[in-house]
Amino acid sequence: NPSNLQSLIQNEPQTTPQTPQTPQELYGEAYKAYQSGHYNKAKSLFKEFILKYPHSKLTNNAYYWLGMSEKAMHHNNEALAILLSLIDKCKKGELPSCDKAPSAYFSAANIYKEMGQKAMATKLYKELISLYPNSIEAALARSELEIQ
């Protein structure tokens, strides 16, 4: 009966998706999308986060995972541009937190390595070791340099 169906639809609770209100909620949604393999969704949510909260302590993380979302979609040039932008912003002190900088260095160096640009990879590994000598990524970079 069509009228029953109409009343069912009208009585259905409204499930309009709510835009996350806090930086943590938006970041959490973006990271969850990344972890679930929804890289395009993650990409747009991380971009939204960066635009809305350019001075959050999570902004450097959003840049990093935006870059990794691009890499996961095999967009190496885009991923590199984002990771190098994060590194540059950290060097210039433009972000309140740069805890993802060592990871950005290591990931960017690895992308260069995959692209056959060994000299650029080596340069980033060395810079990483020099700037963040006690990081896990620096230890990994030392191993990469020994392999070469």
Side-chain angles (χ1 to χ4, degrees), residues 72-91:
M73 294 186 286
H74 308 289
H75 302 159
N76 281 350
N77 289 327
E78 291 86 346
L80 262 180
I82 293 160
L83 294 170
L84 294 175
S85 171
L86 171 56
I87 289 167
D88 189 54
K89 286 178 181 300
C90 287
K91 280 186 190 172

Side-chain angles (χ1 to χ4, degrees), residues 8-147:
L8 277 173
I9 292 168
Q10 285 172 343
N11 294 331
E12 197 59 33
Q14 291 301 314
T15 56
T16 48
Q18 280 230 303
T19 307
Q21 295 304 304
T22 69
Q24 289 76 12
E25 285 170 344
L26 178 55
Y27 180 85
E29 188 185 344
Y31 188 67
K32 192 171 158 192
Y34 175 84
Q35 286 187 309
S36 305
H38 302 290
Y39 302 120
N40 263 322
K41 181 182 179 185
K43 176 180 160 178
S44 67
L45 289 170
F46 283 126
K47 279 185 175 176
E48 183 185 339
F49 183 93
I50 291 164
L51 290 171
K52 280 187 179 173
Y53 308 108
H55 305 296
S56 162
K57 281 194 155 82
L58 288 170
T59 303
N60 81 104
N61 298 60
Y63 271 105
Y64 178 76
W65 292 113
L66 173 59
M68 297 316 286
S69 297
E70 292 285 13
K71 177 159 179 13
M73 294 186 286
H74 308 289
H75 302 159
N76 281 350
N77 289 327
E78 291 86 346
L80 262 180
I82 293 160
L83 294 170
L84 294 175
S85 171
L86 171 56
I87 289 167
D88 189 54
K89 286 178 181 300
C90 287
K91 280 186 190 172
K92 291 177 178 171
E94 292 176 3
L95 297 170
S97 171
C98 277
D99 57 337
K100 277 291 180 196
S103 296
Y105 267 102
F106 190 71
S107 296
N110 286 343
I111 294 170
Y112 274 127
K113 188 176 124 187
E114 284 172 27
M115 294 168 75
Q117 296 184 34
K118 198 172 159 186
M120 284 304 295
T122 299
K123 176 182 178 278
L124 286 182
Y125 288 136
K126 287 180 175 172
E127 207 169 298
L128 162 59
I129 293 163
S130 153
L131 290 173
Y132 304 97
N134 300 322
S135 66
I136 293 164
E137 294 84 355
L140 296 170
R142 285 184 198 96
S143 299
E144 286 294 332
L145 291 172
E146 285 169 20
I147 294 165

